[in-house]
Amino acid sequence: MSDTEQKIIIAVDGFSSCGKSTFAKAIARRLGYIFIDTGAMYRAVTLYALEHGAIRSGIVDEEAVVRLLDQIAITFRFNPDRGASDIYVNGDLAEGKIRTIEVSNCVSRVSAIPEVRSKLVAMQQEMGRRKGVVMDGRDIGTVVFPHAEMKLFMTADPHVRALRRYDELRAKGDDVSLEQIEENVRSRDKADMSRAVSPLRQADDAIVLDNSHMTVDEQMEWFMEQLRRLRAAKQ
Ligand code: DC
């Protein structure tokens, strides 16, 4: 893409474990854009709540989570080894700690709290103010940037998604079962779509990508074609 092309906002929404982050990261690298993983931000709040007693035995005390919000400063720092940004909570690296099954099991409930959403949405809007960002999440094209120039909605078969996350966690040495993961994927789909505030839904003007049987390279090819069409339609 030439440097003279105007920078845009690319919103990538969709179901959990669809490879949104991998795809969004690849797009950002290709275009020289900033990649922002908003799921990591909801996970970071969940981690903080777990570590500070606002979630006990899997029960989320919503009022306690809201009381903690002012103490949580979330920042991203580029990590050249990973070629992506790491998330920090109050200056502490949280990247490795936010993707455990414990956090995954509670994050849907934490992300349904209106005060949590309004704080994180405001941060995300600020991060995209200068455009040139690829942001992945659930409500980017509907709530955070309803006027994003390009909106993608990703989906994949729940079993394929569970297998992907299972492989990821096992590779890290987590002792999880495929059944446990598939149950988590399905229950998060349900929770994400049925919550009262900003439920997961496809924006009317989003382009759908079902990547159940696509490689990252194939997805990239598909994306570049969509981008070419968008640029051509604007001329
Ligand atoms: O993308 P992920 O699986 O890391 O997201 C973690 C959780 O955060 C997921 O259950 C839904 C929630 N989330 C959200 O509600 N809104 C976003 N923009 C991003 C994630």
Side-chain angles (χ1 to χ4, degrees):
M1 211 49 45
S2 88
D3 291 335
T4 53
E5 298 275 20
Q6 263 203 338
K7 290 199 170 191
I8 61 170
I9 290 180
I10 301 174
V12 183
D13 288 304
F15 292 98
S16 67
S17 305
C18 262
K20 288 192 303 295
S21 297
T22 307
F23 185 49
K25 220 179 288 170
I27 295 173
R29 205 173 305 132
R30 177 78 172 251
L31 302 183
Y33 279 18
I34 292 167
F35 159 67
I36 297 158
D37 175 358
T38 63
M41 298 168 76
Y42 289 95
R43 286 171 179 274
V45 172
T46 306
L47 175 71
Y48 193 86
L50 276 162
E51 288 178 343
H52 290 79
I55 303 173
R56 287 178 202 271
S57 313
I59 311 284
V60 179
D61 178 343
E62 294 193 8
E63 285 174 12
V65 175
V66 172
R67 277 197 301 275
L68 289 177
L69 277 179
D70 281 345
Q71 303 171 18
I72 311 176
I74 295 173
T75 45
F76 287 96
R77 259 181 252 163
F78 190 73
N79 176 344
D81 292 341
R82 282 203 318 127
S85 294
D86 287 334
I87 193 162
Y88 288 75
V89 178
N90 296 341
D92 294 331
L93 180 64
E95 196 59 42
K97 292 191 268 179
I98 58 168
R99 303 195 192 274
T100 60
I101 192 90
E102 199 187 7
V103 171
S104 296
N105 281 337
C106 302
V107 64
S108 282
R109 265 161 296 149
V110 171
S111 65
I113 302 172
E115 289 86 347
V116 172
R117 299 207 73 83
S118 54
K119 173 173 166 132
L120 297 189
V121 166
M123 278 182 70
Q124 292 151 10
Q125 288 171 334
E126 179 57 28
M127 290 169 175
R129 208 165 41 87
R130 295 166 68 190
K131 305 216 174 191
V133 298
V134 187
M135 195 174 278
D136 96 65
R138 303 293 188 286
D139 58 342
I140 312 304
T142 52
V143 175
V144 183
F145 293 115
H147 303 297
E149 289 82 354
M150 189 174 202
K151 298 180 187 178
L152 308 177
F153 190 86
M154 290 178 69
T155 176
D157 182 280
H159 184 67
V160 173
R161 288 189 275 138
L163 267 173
R164 287 178 187 160
R165 187 140 278 191
Y166 175 76
D167 287 344
E168 234 174 67
L169 290 171
R170 294 295 281 212
K172 278 200 319 186
D174 279 10
D175 182 24
V176 286
S177 72
L178 182 58
E179 290 70 34
Q180 208 181 353
I181 303 285
E182 192 157 340
E183 169 55 31
N184 177 257
V185 164
R186 288 183 191 275
S187 70
R188 276 205 293 155
D189 283 0
K190 216 165 137 199
D192 290 347
M193 285 189 296
S194 59
R195 69 168 172 241
V197 195
S198 311
L200 169 64
R201 70 170 181 85
Q202 187 190 319
D204 295 336
D205 49 351
I207 321 168
V208 178
L209 171 64
D210 181 336
N211 71 0
S212 302
H213 307 289
M214 283 170 95
T215 64
V216 174
D217 284 349
E218 286 166 344
Q219 293 174 61
M220 205 59 211
E221 213 171 289
W222 174 91
F223 168 78
M224 291 311 288
E225 177 54 29
Q226 302 304 321
L227 189 61
R228 261 189 295 277
R229 284 188 201 171
L230 182 87
R231 305 266 195 218
K234 271 188 160 180
Q235 278 168 6

